[in-house]
Amino acid sequence: YRRLKIEAARRGRTVRELVAEGVRYVLDRDPAESSRVVTDGAEERPAWFGVLREYGEAVDDHSMAAVRRSIAKG
């Protein structure tokens, strides 16, 4: 949730707007594509898993203080 708040602040949007965008993204995808399973060594996971990984990797600090600073920056 902290990462979500950071990303929403970075984009100048609310958490609700970002979640709604993510839901639309999942629902608008081809069902065959979204149900695909990716095998990563011994681990199996849905194809959509990690879609926003690049955004999370760009942030080092997920503390509430960092979230507040990010929100304040707009």
Side-chain angles (χ1 to χ4, degrees):
Y1 186 74
R2 288 179 183 169
R3 290 169 59 185
L4 178 60
K5 287 180 75 170
I6 290 168
E7 185 58 27
R10 188 183 73 75
R11 293 179 181 214
R13 301 176 67 193
T14 66
V15 169
R16 180 184 293 238
E17 290 170 337
L18 198 59
V19 169
E21 179 183 333
V23 170
R24 281 191 301 274
Y25 174 79
V26 170
L27 294 178
D28 290 345
R29 292 181 58 132
D30 179 12
E33 183 179 326
S34 62
S35 63
R36 207 171 27 110
V37 174
V38 176
T39 303
D40 184 16
E43 184 180 346
E44 288 188 358
R45 51 193 160 71
W48 55 264
F49 187 82
V51 170
L52 298 175
R53 182 179 182 174
E54 65 186 75
Y55 298 113
E57 289 175 346
V59 179
D60 295 331
D61 185 5
H62 299 287
S63 69
M64 285 307 295
V67 171
R68 289 184 185 107
R69 282 192 306 272
S70 178
I71 291 169
K73 285 181 185 177

